């Protein structure tokens, strides 16, 4: 066991919408009985990429004792493609663009690196 950052899911807030599944490149989150669950803590690197995606604020990252992150196993997980992931400005998908998660007006969305400078500089 090591002390490190790892995702925490507030089941009371989670609606089971599944939006956090595809953004987790390690495949650590699955929906079980209508709630998001970290299926294996060794798959979660604690980077918190999923946190901004959750529309309910059910995800956070905390420091606690858990198993070490298993990079090899995480990288060998089947990748989940989600066609709902696309730039909210130009519509580009992850096949052709680099996408970043974004929050605005209580909404979670994606933006591509080409459209991001326009948002930053206006
Ligand atoms: S995005 Fe949030 S509400 Fe949706 S399944 Fe994941 S934790 Fe639950
Ligand atoms: Zn774009």
């Amino acid at each position: 066991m090591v002390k490190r950052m790892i995702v925490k899911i507030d089941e009371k807030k989670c609606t089971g919408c599944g939006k956090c599944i595809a953004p987790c490149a390690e495949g650590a989150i699955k929906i079980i009985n209508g709630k998001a669950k970290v299926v294996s803590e060794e798959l979660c690197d604690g980077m918190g990429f999923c946190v901004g995606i959750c529309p309910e604020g059910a995800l956070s990252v905390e420091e606690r004792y858990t198993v070490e992150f298993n990079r090899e196993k995480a990288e060998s997980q089947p990748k989940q493609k989600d066609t709902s992931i696309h730039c909210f400005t130009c519509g580009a998908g992850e096949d052709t663009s680099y996408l970043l998660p974004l929050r605005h007006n209580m909404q979670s969305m994606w933006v591509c690196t080409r459209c991001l400078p326009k948002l930053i500089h206006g």
Side-chain angles (χ1 to χ4, degrees):
M1 298 285 268
V2 292
K3 198 174 188 189
R4 66 177 181 89
M5 301 308 283
I6 186 153
V7 75
K8 182 182 169 189
I9 302 171
D10 184 338
E11 287 202 0
K12 284 193 222 87
K13 290 183 183 170
C14 175
T15 60
C17 72
K19 286 186 180 168
C20 54
I21 309 271
C24 177
E26 290 78 25
I29 302 177
K30 288 202 174 31
I31 304 294
I32 298 168
N33 295 330
K35 299 282 178 186
K37 299 243 192 284
V38 176
V39 283
S40 172
E41 297 202 332
E42 65 179 345
L43 294 178
C44 175
D45 61 6
M47 293 292 280
F49 204 80
C50 56
V51 172
I53 305 300
C54 177
E56 310 299 331
L59 300 172
S60 59
V61 173
E62 64 175 357
E63 190 178 25
R64 65 178 152 84
Y65 282 100
T66 182
V67 289
E68 262 186 89
F69 172 58
N70 187 334
R71 183 170 301 281
E72 219 169 275
K73 194 170 171 186
E75 284 176 357
S76 66
Q77 289 300 299
K79 302 294 175 228
Q80 309 214 28
K81 197 168 175 177
D82 184 341
T83 50
S84 72
I85 294 177
H86 52 77
C87 174
F88 83 99
T89 299
C90 72
E94 62 174 331
D95 292 350
T96 55
S97 300
Y98 292 92
L99 300 174
L100 300 162
L102 204 70
R103 293 280 298 186
H104 181 60
N105 276 342
M106 310 284 287
Q107 279 197 318
S108 298
M109 55 188 82
W110 296 89
V111 68
C112 79
T113 48
R114 269 177 304 226
C115 294
L116 184 62
K118 281 181 257 167
L119 291 179
I120 294 171
H121 303 295

